[in-house]
Amino acid sequence: MGSHLRMELMVFLVLVFLGISSIAYGAVSHTTMRKIDMLNKKGPYLGIVVPNFFELNPLLQSTSFVADQKLPYLDFSGRRFRIGRLEDESVIIVMTGLSMLNAGISTQLLLSLFKVKGVVHYGIAGNADPQLQIGDVTIPQFWAHTGLWNWQRFGDGPGNELSLESFGDYTRKVGHIKFSDFNNETRNGKSVPNLLNNVWYQPEEVFPVHGTPEVRQHAFWVPVNPKFFAVAKDLEDLKLGGCVNTTCLPRAPIVVRVKRGISASVFVDNRAYREFLNSKFNATSIDMESAAVALVCHQQKKPFIVIRALSDLAGGGSSLSNEANTFASLAAQNAVDVVLRFISLLSS
């Protein structure tokens, strides 16, 4: 074999070897896996999960955040995982993007790739409780996903079994919304039937990390970590911002622990539905991501808490109800201020 041919063969074998090594870990390249291993040796970390840039930026711009000098971030699967310290706590921060799907994927990647000891999720939210106001920061004890439905056929009612209910796939235990209750038209003082009929809210199927694979459990109300929730009580005297330039809120915003928050991939800007969610589920915070974070942490047995600042009264109802464009930045900053104080209390 000539020397030229031998050289070409050697180059080919080297390229093949490099190609194999780069995919040795399947979807995770060898280089990325090495960085993840290096990071995990420095763990565990507190995971910080944030929906959008305008909620993330106040945290990154805070003097409390110090990016890791050697590896300030790691990009994987369309997400950027920022590594650093907050209030003397090692953290990994990930922005999810809008919706339950994005929040669930980002949280699962965070917990699967990195050594994480707990999760703090924060952002802004719609408000279902008119007793609270824009700028207030809520910390719900329970979260539920209210976007998983069984839509009942017209003519059936609460006494009729749902399709596939007998197989254990669906239930009438959580409750339903009856669309004819919201009709504008009445006949003889009663609402006329509505072809949309009823929607029954469903619990999620969950598969706990230490459970039997493919053996499902069900979860509707998912509790935050009891220790985290107890620590959050000490946040209730925190002073928060109440003005944007010269526009101020009627009173200073407060931090309040509440009973329940709900999420679905639906932006709720409807008064009737907001009032229904509040009366039916005793919900305060309404958003599009938190329950996904809660359900992933629940399945992975990781402690978590959710901190949501109210940016508007969903669907209107007061003179300040639709001032989200004015006060969204204030709400985001208030959420960050509460997160920083919470992490400080957690590590003290």
Side-chain angles (χ1 to χ4, degrees):
M1 182 183 295
S3 60
H4 180 71
L5 185 58
R6 281 199 299 271
M7 180 62 69
E8 287 184 342
L9 180 60
M10 288 177 63
V11 170
F12 173 76
L13 291 173
V14 168
L15 290 173
V16 169
F17 173 75
L18 289 174
I20 291 173
S21 347
S22 69
I23 60 172
Y25 292 90
V28 186
S29 72
H30 181 75
T31 301
T32 299
M33 200 67 225
R34 191 166 63 246
K35 292 178 180 178
I36 292 171
D37 288 342
M38 180 187 72
L39 286 170
N40 285 336
K41 287 176 183 176
K42 300 178 182 179
Y45 298 87
L46 188 64
I48 312 294
V49 180
V50 194
N52 294 298
F53 267 126
F54 74 90
E55 295 153 316
L56 173 64
N57 284 337
L59 184 69
L60 299 181
Q61 294 164 4
S62 165
T63 56
S64 298
F65 176 67
V66 180
D68 188 270
Q69 294 296 309
K70 293 184 178 179
L71 188 62
Y73 63 86
L74 186 145
D75 292 341
F76 183 79
S77 195
R79 266 72 181 178
R80 173 159 291 185
F81 297 88
R82 292 174 167 85
I83 298 98
R85 296 188 72 80
L86 273 174
E87 301 292 335
D88 206 34
E89 184 80 45
S90 296
V91 297
I92 296 180
I93 306 168
V94 61
M95 190 194 79
T96 68
L98 191 72
S99 84
M100 294 282 290
L101 177 63
N102 279 320
I105 290 173
S106 302
T107 306
Q108 186 63 65
L109 284 171
L110 173 71
L111 299 184
S112 296
L113 295 174
F114 303 104
K115 187 183 290 184
V116 173
K117 61 184 179 181
V119 171
V120 176
H121 174 55
Y122 80 88
I124 67 171
N127 175 24
D129 183 357
Q131 300 304 311
L132 297 177
Q133 72 165 27
I134 292 170
D136 289 346
V137 179
T138 61
I139 306 175
Q141 186 177 9
F142 297 91
W143 282 92
H145 175 210
T146 54
L148 185 59
W149 294 355
N150 184 307
W151 207 314
Q152 198 171 30
R153 70 177 61 189
F154 183 70
D156 285 357
N160 298 107
E161 187 175 273
L162 301 176
S163 178
L164 301 181
E165 183 178 351
S166 60
F167 292 95
D169 293 335
Y170 300 103
T171 180
R172 284 168 287 163
K173 293 180 180 178
V174 175
H176 71 290
I177 182 170
K178 183 179 179 181
F179 285 99
S180 63
D181 288 346
F182 299 89
N183 286 349
N184 290 325
E185 182 182 353
T186 60
R187 186 180 301 144
N188 299 323
K190 295 184 179 180
S191 296
V192 298
N194 189 310
L195 293 176
L196 292 176
N197 200 27
N198 303 317
V199 159
W200 292 83
Y201 295 90
Q202 301 299 313
E204 287 278 0
E205 291 185 355
V206 295
F207 300 86
V209 64
H210 300 305
T212 304
E214 299 182 350
V215 175
R216 67 184 178 182
Q217 298 179 18
H218 289 91
F220 189 74
W221 292 113
V222 179
V224 303
N225 179 260
K227 178 188 173 184
F228 286 4
F229 193 67
V231 170
K233 182 170 178 55
D234 292 335
L235 298 167
E236 293 178 348
D237 60 352
L238 186 64
K239 299 290 189 294
L240 298 173
C243 297
V244 176
N245 299 321
T246 58
T247 305
C248 295
L249 295 164
R251 63 161 171 79
I254 59 173
V255 182
V256 56
R257 297 190 306 169
V258 298
K259 198 67 177 178
R260 292 172 171 175
I262 58 173
S263 309
S265 289
V266 178
F267 187 90
V268 178
D269 192 23
N270 181 275
R271 178 174 179 170
Y273 193 53
R274 176 249 296 172
E275 291 176 344
F276 169 82
L277 293 173
N278 180 252
S279 62
K280 177 69 178 179
F281 296 118
N282 190 26
T284 298
S285 306
I286 307 174
D287 67 50
M288 300 174 69
E289 297 86 20
S290 296
V293 177
L295 283 159
V296 171
C297 290
H298 175 69
Q299 294 190 80
Q300 297 299 311
K301 302 300 181 186
K302 291 293 181 182
F304 76 95
I305 195 166
V306 177
I307 295 169
R308 286 279 185 164
L310 304 178
S311 62
D312 64 293
L313 182 63
S318 77
S319 59
L320 286 171
S321 59
N322 271 334
E323 298 291 344
N325 290 341
T326 301
F327 290 104
S329 60
L330 173 71
Q333 184 61 59
N334 283 354
V336 168
D337 290 345
V338 174
V339 166
L340 293 175
R341 181 60 180 153
F342 174 79
I343 294 174
S344 176
L345 290 172
L346 200 62
S347 56
S348 64

